[in-house]
Short mmCIF file of all heavy atoms in Angstrom, two decimals:
data_model
loop_
_atom_site.label_atom_id
_atom_site.label_comp_id
_atom_site.label_asym_id
_atom_site.label_seq_id
_atom_site.Cartn_x
_atom_site.Cartn_y
_atom_site.Cartn_z
N TRP M 176 -18.39 27.93 1.55
CA TRP M 176 -17.29 27.07 1.13
C TRP M 176 -16.48 26.52 2.30
O TRP M 176 -15.92 25.41 2.21
CB TRP M 176 -16.34 27.84 0.21
CG TRP M 176 -17.01 28.77 -0.76
CD1 TRP M 176 -16.93 30.12 -0.77
CD2 TRP M 176 -17.86 28.41 -1.86
NE1 TRP M 176 -17.67 30.64 -1.80
CE2 TRP M 176 -18.25 29.60 -2.50
CE3 TRP M 176 -18.31 27.21 -2.36
CZ2 TRP M 176 -19.08 29.64 -3.61
CZ3 TRP M 176 -19.13 27.23 -3.47
CH2 TRP M 176 -19.51 28.42 -4.08
N ALA M 199 -17.38 26.88 -10.60
CA ALA M 199 -16.33 27.86 -10.92
C ALA M 199 -16.06 28.77 -9.74
O ALA M 199 -14.90 29.06 -9.41
CB ALA M 199 -16.74 28.67 -12.14
N ARG M 200 -17.10 29.23 -9.07
CA ARG M 200 -16.93 30.12 -7.92
C ARG M 200 -16.26 29.38 -6.75
O ARG M 200 -15.48 29.98 -6.01
CB ARG M 200 -18.29 30.68 -7.50
CG ARG M 200 -18.85 31.71 -8.49
CD ARG M 200 -20.24 32.15 -8.09
NE ARG M 200 -20.75 33.17 -9.01
CZ ARG M 200 -21.99 33.64 -9.00
NH1 ARG M 200 -22.87 33.17 -8.10
NH2 ARG M 200 -22.37 34.55 -9.86
N ALA M 201 -16.60 28.12 -6.57
CA ALA M 201 -15.96 27.34 -5.51
C ALA M 201 -14.46 27.22 -5.76
O ALA M 201 -13.64 27.37 -4.84
CB ALA M 201 -16.59 25.95 -5.43
N ALA M 202 -14.08 26.96 -7.02
CA ALA M 202 -12.66 26.86 -7.35
C ALA M 202 -11.95 28.18 -7.12
O ALA M 202 -10.82 28.22 -6.61
CB ALA M 202 -12.50 26.41 -8.80
N LEU M 203 -12.61 29.30 -7.47
CA LEU M 203 -12.01 30.62 -7.26
C LEU M 203 -11.86 30.93 -5.77
O LEU M 203 -10.95 31.66 -5.37
CB LEU M 203 -12.87 31.70 -7.92
CG LEU M 203 -12.85 31.73 -9.45
CD1 LEU M 203 -13.84 32.76 -9.99
CD2 LEU M 203 -11.44 32.05 -9.96
N ALA M 204 -12.75 30.35 -4.94
CA ALA M 204 -12.68 30.57 -3.49
C ALA M 204 -11.63 29.69 -2.83
O ALA M 204 -11.44 29.76 -1.62
CB ALA M 204 -14.04 30.32 -2.85
N GLY M 205 -10.94 28.87 -3.61
CA GLY M 205 -9.88 28.03 -3.07
C GLY M 205 -10.34 26.67 -2.61
O GLY M 205 -9.58 25.93 -1.97
N VAL M 206 -11.59 26.29 -2.92
CA VAL M 206 -12.11 24.97 -2.54
C VAL M 206 -11.74 23.97 -3.64
O VAL M 206 -12.10 24.19 -4.80
CB VAL M 206 -13.63 25.01 -2.34
CG1 VAL M 206 -14.16 23.63 -1.95
CG2 VAL M 206 -14.01 26.03 -1.29
#
Side-chain angles (χ1 to χ4, degrees):
W176 321 114
R200 289 175 178 172
L203 289 175
V206 180

